Amino acid sequence: MGKTGVRDDARGAAARLGMWLFIATEAFFFLAPLLLYAAYRYRYAYDFRAAGGELNLFTGAANTAVLLTSSLTMALAVNAGQRGDKRLTAVLLAATIILGSVFLVIKYFEWTAKISHGIYPNSETFSGRARGEVIFWGLYFFITGLHGLHVFIGVCLLTVMLFMRLANASGGRYPARLENCGLYWHAVDVIWIYIFPFFYLMG
Amino acid sequence: MDNAGEAVYYRNKVRGRAGVRQWIFSTDHKRIGVLYLVSVLAMFSSGVVLGVLMRLELLTPGPTLMGPQTYNSMFTLHGVIMLFLFIIPAAPGVFGNFFLPILIGANDVAFPRLNLLSWWFYMAGAAIAVASILIGAGPPDTGWTFYAPYSLFTGQDVSLALFAVFVLGLSSVLTGINFIVTVHNMRAPGMGWFRMPLFVWSIYATAWIQALATPVVGTTFLLVIAERFFGIGVFDPAKGGDPILYQHLFWIYSHPAVYIMILPAMGIITEIIPVFARKTVFGYRAIAYSSLAIAGVGSLVWGHHMFVSGYSYTAGVLFSFFTFLVAIPSAVKVFNWIATLHKGSIVFSTPMLYAFCFIFLFSIGGLTGLMLGALSMNVVLHGTYFVVGHFHYVKFGGAGFAFFAGLHYWFPKMSGRLYSRMRANIALFLLFAGFNMLYFPMFILGIEGMPRRYFDALPQYHFWQAVSIAGSWVLAAGIILMLANLVHALFRGEKAPENPWAGATLEWTIPSPPAHENFVKIPEIRRGPYDYR
Amino acid sequence: MLLSQASNIGKLTDGAFMAITAICVALFLTINIIMLYFAVKYRRSRHPQSADIDGSVLLELAWTVIPAALVVFMFYLGLKGYAIRKDAPGDALAVNVRGQMWSWIFQYANGKESSALALPLNRAVKFNLTSGDVIHSFFIPAFGIKGDVVPGRQNTLWAVPIEKGSFDVFCTEYCGAGHSIMLSKAVVMDEKDFEEWYGAR
């Protein structure tokens, strides 16, 4: 493969199309459990509301704010990367990584709080609960867990990008790569935008 | 680029790398295609062995070769291997990889390293599947469908097998994405959408299904794993979950997966028929659009696997209706193939004979599919041997025979050698005769009411079971002869010329086997793919 | 037992069965005979120069519309024998069919339980299907009826047996090691014999 600028453009276009397709597959990846959510919410409407009410709206909203802010810093980082502003790119990347990590830490405390109250699949106090509530919590742990995993992967990716930046990568294919990481990060963010109302607001 | 012209065949040794490493770390799409070929054929052979042993067990009542538990694991593994490790990756993995870039005049796929990663995921999936047999509580015994709640409770090692399929799905998704981008971005100058060979169209439609449907089954299997480890309850009726929802999620992928198998197969047949009829393909656009129509409508028919599950009456009616609709684009393809023969100048070379067998077998598979799609007939035939017969006619008689047709069509290009046509034709005769002997009796057994997945045949079903079992040996002999003939040709065959079949598509304009970068100079395309005048 | 003649539903289904099978066989023969005819007629030795034809809109339309009409007709045929299965007559004899690994238990309204299914001739029977463990499927080939036995939900089937005799009952959803021994018999007897059996302790 050649190393000319034209080729890099073509490769960038290909990579962008590939990334969009990958994001589409991610959407379908989350579709299955969200379809289950819809089916069970229809069947156990009352239980789902009761269980949703037990979630801490404040932590959920805080996490939403954290993730939305991280999307902003990510977008700015991509922009800075394209303009070739090396320092700003690094700073914004670091900010995004920190915000992503904060999200995970809040999520960790939220999970452990629920688990310490005996709210987790197969726990002893769980058998007495309504069936819909058991399903609600099962889906909650599965979907937020899966999403958390995606955030974690994103944080790892961005850390790699930050190290590449610190190792003085800026030209060539770096901006296109950064842009693709940004697309991924926004996709993870958008998925949370669906999860948040389904679990926290519709309670 | 320039030195690529001096016939640096893709199979030649690469400087600086030794032995098998120059294959398993190569990003050349042709080498990756060959890697897939070797691995899917190994998987196919092990699936055949399991199948023949299973058949044999049914010859006598009671446990002779194996007990029911082993038998159940065997049909599970037979299904998992044949579907996830052979027929789903076979045509895209082997011919998609090897020929898609060449057919559109490209040097490689869009993401060569990702392509290699796909193969590695495939191998990892295969290794995990094998591990599920050897370690833990023993091989899964759920059937390849992993229906809940049985799959949640069985003591066998289901999680590992599910994870294997998950990893294989990842491989399939990445391949799909890679091919879509390749078709969009890598076409040679002048290669408009309607100048692409129809095999490319079929791979393109397939790639969309691979990319979009596979993730659904991926998470569904993760849900079952989570259910087994943590008991999240979503498919467990004891906790309020609904096993029917598992079936929905499973078939939302697994039905389109049937089209992942059959679309590239149809594409291969569409390449072969014009070449050996010396005639341009009849109804190019109709065939191209019908691929997309099959991919689209085929995504709406998953519920026809569940007519007796007890879901709503309306759901049954709708799913049956869409099932009948998806038959139309399939029929359009068949009619166009036959119209291509009209006033052609037909040569009965081995690939063409395979194509005839394909049409014969696939028309039986497709029409019995219509019989199963009719609601009241489905209620009677669901879960019987009729279904087993039907899907073997579609997946083996259709996708499998087309894969072997492609193998015989492109073998000279891939290997640079010619095989013995006489031996290949004898093998095809055995395959065809054995196939019908093995699977046609299953229709009769099904209409007589024999349920599938039975360890023992009841006495009234014995005769046709015996015929079917004898057929499995003929079929196995055919497979052995076919593969032996090709392996023999690989080492002893005559050197193949550039264009042994007088084909008109791009792969026949380059040396056999092709050079590393395919084309010395990226060709400029000025005509359609099947121009024989 | 090629056709399901022993119940009203089976008999009704058989009509559609014959018609659809006939259409499919006809289509199969048409496709393959034309293919072979072309293959022989236009073989290279007899027809060395191929014609230059690349399609025909009229033909494409014809072989889209005609199969479309045929499949819609087949859909309709299948639908006819399906609609009747939906609702059992109100006066049907209720039998609870319980599937479990790996046997069938049939419970009657008076509390009688049996491992074989006794049925009166010419009287509608409604089967309530329940499972305590995994999914099974209740299948009487001679009656042409089948329904999944799903834990957590109750599916129903019905039929009127119209032939005396003893018929196979199968499980058609894979349910583990004993799937193939999960068998029973449906014994259809005269109303009088049935009442006698039903009354006996």
Side-chain angles (χ1 to χ4, degrees):
Chain A
M1 289 281 146
K3 296 270 188 283
T4 59
V6 181
R7 283 254 175 144
D8 275 348
D9 276 0
R11 290 183 77 151
R16 204 172 304 126
L17 178 59
M19 197 61 208
W20 276 108
L21 285 167
F22 180 71
I23 287 168
T25 68
E26 287 282 2
F28 278 84
F29 193 66
F30 277 90
L31 184 69
L34 289 177
L35 280 176
L36 284 183
Y37 175 91
Y40 285 123
R41 179 161 197 109
Y42 178 73
R43 191 170 306 177
Y44 300 115
Y46 180 81
D47 294 347
F48 264 50
R49 289 172 70 131
E54 285 179 62
L55 275 170
N56 189 331
L57 187 58
F58 177 76
T59 20
N63 249 349
T64 309
V66 168
L67 214 51
L68 280 175
T69 317
S70 79
S71 245
L72 176 69
T73 54
M74 185 71 231
L76 291 174
V78 171
N79 187 270
Q82 278 162 349
R83 281 186 288 107
D85 189 336
K86 297 179 185 179
R87 237 194 103 218
L88 191 60
T89 315
V91 170
L92 286 165
L93 267 179
T96 315
I97 291 164
I98 290 166
L99 286 166
S101 311
V102 168
F103 175 89
L104 288 175
V105 170
I106 295 178
K107 195 90 250 167
Y108 170 78
F109 282 116
E110 200 183 1
W111 271 37
T112 43
K114 286 285 165 285
I115 290 169
S116 68
H117 284 94
I119 300 178
Y120 60 92
N122 272 354
S123 86
E124 281 152 25
T125 55
F126 233 39
S127 48
R129 285 188 171 239
R131 294 181 141 204
E133 292 188 35
V134 175
I135 303 274
F136 178 92
W137 291 110
L139 282 171
Y140 165 81
F141 280 108
F142 185 82
I143 294 178
T144 57
L146 204 58
H147 178 261
L149 187 67
H150 278 76
V151 174
F152 177 73
I153 292 169
V155 168
C156 294
L157 270 177
L158 294 180
T159 311
V160 172
M161 291 310 286
L162 179 62
F163 275 107
M164 283 173 70
R165 175 69 277 284
L166 293 177
N168 224 10
S170 61
R173 291 166 64 190
Y174 186 79
R177 283 190 177 145
L178 192 59
E179 192 187 338
N180 275 344
C181 289
L183 280 176
Y184 175 81
W185 190 258
H186 297 316
V188 171
D189 194 9
V190 167
I191 290 165
W192 176 256
I193 296 299
Y194 281 91
I195 295 173
F196 174 61
F198 283 165
F199 285 101
Y200 293 82
L201 295 183
M202 287 166 78
Chain B
M1 286 289 298
D2 293 333
N3 61 353
E6 294 161 21
V8 184
Y9 293 142
Y10 81 97
R11 290 203 292 139
N12 288 10
K13 206 168 151 9
V14 186
R15 229 179 307 146
R17 274 189 185 153
V20 75
R21 277 193 300 159
Q22 56 178 320
W23 284 86
I24 63 174
F25 296 123
S26 168
T27 57
D28 184 327
H29 66 100
K30 297 179 289 301
R31 289 196 166 200
I32 294 172
V34 173
L35 288 176
Y36 270 110
L37 179 61
V38 173
S39 20
V40 298
L41 284 180
M43 286 301 157
F44 173 71
S45 308
S46 44
V48 169
V49 171
L50 290 174
V52 169
L53 288 176
M54 266 157 55
R55 289 275 83 205
L56 194 55
E57 170 55 42
L58 284 169
L59 190 58
T60 52
T64 30
L65 283 178
M66 58 186 103
Q69 186 63 44
T70 315
Y71 180 84
N72 295 343
S73 291
M74 274 202 160
F75 73 65
T76 304
L77 290 171
H78 173 78
V80 168
I81 289 174
M82 285 305 203
L83 291 166
F84 294 115
L85 286 158
F86 172 59
I87 205 76
I88 289 177
V94 179
F95 303 128
N97 263 313
F98 202 106
F99 289 105
L100 172 74
I102 301 180
L103 286 169
I104 59 173
N107 280 335
D108 209 317
V109 293
F111 309 115
R113 277 186 296 178
L114 191 69
N115 202 17
L116 181 63
L117 184 69
S118 293
W119 181 76
W120 275 100
F121 275 140
Y122 170 84
M123 290 310 281
I128 298 168
V130 171
S132 80
I133 304 171
L134 302 174
I135 62 175
D141 65 339
T142 57
W144 78 281
T145 51
F146 298 101
Y147 268 15
Y150 186 76
S151 60
L152 309 183
F153 304 135
T154 175
Q156 304 294 106
D157 205 351
V158 172
S159 302
L160 211 51
L162 286 169
F163 188 65
V165 179
F166 181 83
V167 175
L168 291 169
L170 213 52
S171 160
S172 195
V173 167
L174 295 180
T175 302
I177 291 176
N178 212 340
F179 287 175
I180 293 173
V181 178
T182 306
V183 172
H184 275 269
N185 287 30
M186 305 284 285
R187 280 171 290 134
M191 177 63 80
W193 281 89
F194 292 103
R195 280 183 183 167
M196 295 194 309
L198 286 158
F199 176 68
V200 176
W201 270 102
S202 71
I203 285 285
Y204 178 71
T206 307
W208 277 105
I209 311 177
Q210 283 182 294
L212 297 185
T214 315
V216 178
V217 86
T219 23
T220 305
F221 284 177
L222 286 187
L223 280 159
V224 175
I225 293 173
E227 191 80 89
R228 281 181 70 87
F229 279 109
F230 308 113
I232 57 173
V234 287
F235 299 134
D236 182 354
K239 292 179 177 167
D242 187 352
I244 299 299
L245 288 174
Y246 169 81
Q247 297 184 12
H248 276 294
L249 291 179
F250 176 80
W251 289 112
I252 282 176
Y253 163 76
S254 297
H255 192 77
V258 173
Y259 299 103
I260 297 181
M261 306 169 206
I262 201 68
L263 275 171
M266 292 167 153
I268 292 167
I269 298 303
T270 317
E271 291 304 307
I272 290 172
I273 289 178
V275 173
F276 297 97
R278 306 291 315 146
K279 201 164 153 282
T280 189
V281 74
F282 193 92
Y284 176 97
R285 278 177 193 245
I287 294 182
Y289 288 138
S290 64
S291 288
L292 299 182
I294 289 173
V297 184
S299 308
L300 302 173
V301 304
W302 76 84
H304 71 210
H305 296 267
M306 304 162 58
F307 285 143
V308 297
S309 69
Y311 63 19
S312 79
Y313 175 77
T314 324
V317 172
L318 283 175
F319 282 125
S320 169
F321 187 69
F322 284 124
T323 302
F324 276 105
L325 283 192
V326 82
I328 300 169
S330 308
V332 165
K333 279 187 193 279
V334 174
F335 293 132
N336 278 298
W337 291 328
I338 290 174
T340 307
L341 298 175
H342 180 239
K343 294 198 173 168
S345 177
I346 297 162
V347 203
F348 299 98
S349 294
T350 308
M352 190 62 157
L353 294 175
Y354 267 101
F356 285 135
C357 291
F358 167 90
I359 293 179
F360 181 92
L361 300 175
F362 178 70
S363 59
I364 294 179
L367 290 166
T368 51
L370 288 183
M371 294 165 75
L372 283 169
L375 284 163
S376 59
M377 281 180 80
N378 181 281
V379 175
V380 181
L381 297 174
H382 175 91
T384 68
Y385 261 73
F386 194 91
V387 177
V388 183
H390 158 69
F391 69 68
H392 279 95
Y393 266 87
V394 172
K395 292 175 184 174
F396 188 2
F401 267 66
F403 178 77
F404 296 131
L407 198 56
H408 285 85
Y409 176 55
W410 279 314
F411 183 84
K413 182 57 62 183
M414 295 174 82
S415 66
R417 305 282 182 154
L418 297 173
Y419 50 83
S420 153
R421 294 192 194 184
M422 214 245 310
R423 277 198 293 266
N425 291 348
I426 295 171
L428 172 60
F429 176 77
L430 289 177
L431 272 178
F432 184 74
F435 183 94
N436 285 300
M437 225 173 123
L438 166 54
Y439 296 114
F440 200 83
M442 292 187 177
F443 293 129
I444 301 165
L445 287 167
I447 290 172
E448 288 178 346
M450 172 149 185
R452 61 191 287 207
R453 292 170 168 171
Y454 266 31
F455 163 71
D456 253 337
L458 293 146
Q460 67 263 41
Y461 304 121
H462 233 98
F463 174 72
W464 288 113
Q465 283 291 1
V467 174
S468 169
I469 291 160
S472 73
W473 302 333
V474 180
L475 182 65
I479 292 169
I480 293 169
L481 180 58
M482 175 193 73
L483 293 178
N485 182 38
L486 293 180
V487 171
H488 178 262
L490 194 59
F491 296 102
R492 295 281 160 79
E494 265 180 72
K495 288 244 180 314
E498 203 173 272
N499 191 356
W501 314 120
T505 36
L506 283 174
E507 78 270 37
W508 305 112
T509 63
I510 57 175
S512 306
H516 257 300
E517 293 250 302
N518 300 344
F519 300 98
V520 180
K521 189 168 165 284
I522 293 292
E524 191 146 335
I525 313 301
R526 294 209 178 77
R527 56 173 182 80
Y530 309 108
D531 207 346
Y532 289 102
R533 304 298 294 178
Chain C
M1 203 198 305
L2 189 65
L3 298 169
S4 330
Q5 296 280 9
S7 86
N8 65 327
I9 288 186
K11 238 186 150 93
L12 191 85
T13 309
D14 277 349
F17 197 113
M18 297 300 278
I20 292 173
T21 309
I23 295 173
C24 288
V25 170
L27 283 171
F28 167 77
L29 290 176
T30 314
I31 291 167
N32 285 281
I33 288 174
I34 295 178
M35 177 179 82
L36 287 178
Y37 172 72
F38 283 171
V40 172
K41 185 168 181 203
Y42 299 113
R43 62 185 187 274
R44 173 102 12 121
S45 53
R46 269 194 55 185
H47 198 253
Q49 185 61 44
S50 61
D52 189 17
I53 311 167
D54 64 357
S56 150
V57 177
L58 203 67
L59 275 176
E60 297 291 347
L61 273 178
W63 60 51
T64 308
V65 173
I66 296 170
L70 270 179
V71 295
V72 170
F73 180 60
M74 283 193 268
F75 164 73
Y76 165 75
L77 287 175
L79 188 61
K80 258 196 341 188
Y82 188 62
I84 188 182
R85 295 162 189 268
K86 199 165 53 139
D87 301 306
D91 61 345
L93 169 79
V95 180
N96 289 328
V97 176
R98 193 159 175 76
Q100 60 185 31
M101 293 155 123
W102 293 285
S103 61
W104 297 103
I105 300 170
F106 304 102
Q107 298 167 321
Y108 293 79
N110 67 351
K112 195 174 169 78
E113 276 190 10
S114 164
S115 63
L117 175 63
L119 295 172
L121 187 67
N122 289 331
R123 187 167 152 201
V125 194
K126 182 182 178 188
F127 302 101
N128 300 314
L129 314 176
T130 53
S131 164
D133 39 50
V134 298
I135 302 179
H136 305 279
S137 193
F138 178 68
F139 180 33
I140 308 178
F143 290 3
I145 57 168
K146 180 185 291 146
D148 280 359
V149 184
V150 185
R153 74 159 71 195
Q154 192 186 70
N155 291 337
T156 57
L157 295 173
W158 76 277
V160 181
I162 55 171
E163 205 180 292
K164 273 204 291 186
S166 174
F167 305 102
D168 285 319
V169 175
F170 293 139
C171 174
T172 45
E173 184 59 62
Y174 172 70
C175 57
H179 174 51
S180 56
I181 52 165
M182 194 168 160
L183 309 169
S184 182
K185 288 281 181 191
V187 185
V188 180
M189 48 189 96
D190 285 324
E191 183 85 42
K192 200 164 86 19
D193 294 341
F194 177 76
E195 290 304 336
E196 205 171 292
W197 176 88
Y198 192 62
R201 268 327 305 173

